[in-house]
Amino acid sequence: MTTYAAIDVYDFDSPQQEAQYRGLIEELRCPKCQNQNLAGSDAPIAQDLKQKIYDLIKDRRSDAEIRTYMQERYGDFISYKPPMRPSTWILWFFPPLLLLVLVIGWFWQSKRRQVVARGQGGVTVDHTATALTPAERAELDRLLSQAENIDHDITIPKDKK
């Protein structure tokens, strides 16, 4: 069996036009595939967009004009590099702000742990504690010896056979 792949063959007037075409189809996103650029997509709409980009390049349009044309029709989603405007501020500023908050939180938490480890965390230790009385010491020894004699095996008695 043989399989056939769709291969785009376009005739350009110059190597600059071909480079412009390749750059644009790598930069623009396929509206159907969502996380794939036009160069890697075989969706029918991607084929149509590649043809339109080719036509616009042949009309001697600049990269900016072609991007504007595509963004007017498909929105900011079409570009992997959305423009900086109020509607896209969350895309541009949220990741760095989140990273900054996480780094500050990490430093604050590590500093807090250092303070607590040094005993400067506002916790006071009562150094006036007295030693155990002989009765308390005997009770403690009795509890410890009981704990040592307890069988800590957690297997079921049937399994011991």
Side-chain angles (χ1 to χ4, degrees), residues 5-100:
I7 299 174
D8 297 329
V9 180
Y10 295 111
D11 233 0
F12 294 99
D13 297 335
S14 68
Q16 290 82 12
Q17 283 185 343
E18 185 175 357
Q20 180 185 13
Y21 173 79
R22 297 277 175 227
L24 285 168
I25 66 171
E26 290 287 332
E27 180 184 324
L28 297 175
R29 185 188 321 244
C30 174
K32 182 176 182 186
C33 304
Q34 295 192 4
N35 205 20
Q36 195 172 21
N37 60 16
L38 292 176
S41 175
D42 290 330
I45 192 163
Q47 300 300 323
D48 293 343
L49 289 174
K50 288 185 225 179
Q51 180 63 46
K52 187 62 181 175
I53 291 171
Y54 172 75
D55 293 340
L56 291 171
I57 288 173
K58 291 296 267 185
D59 288 343
R60 308 244 187 253
R61 301 280 179 95
S62 69
D63 285 0
E65 290 173 324
I66 295 171
R67 281 189 205 96
T68 302
Y69 175 87
M70 292 295 177
Q71 285 177 342
E72 285 174 357
R73 279 146 191 83
Y74 299 99
D76 291 334
F77 176 79
I78 194 84
S79 177
Y80 278 115
K81 299 174 188 172
M84 178 98 57
R85 38 175 102 128
S87 63
T88 59
W89 282 355
I90 193 164
L91 297 173
W92 287 101
F93 298 121
F94 182 71
L97 285 175
L98 179 63
L99 180 64
L100 182 66

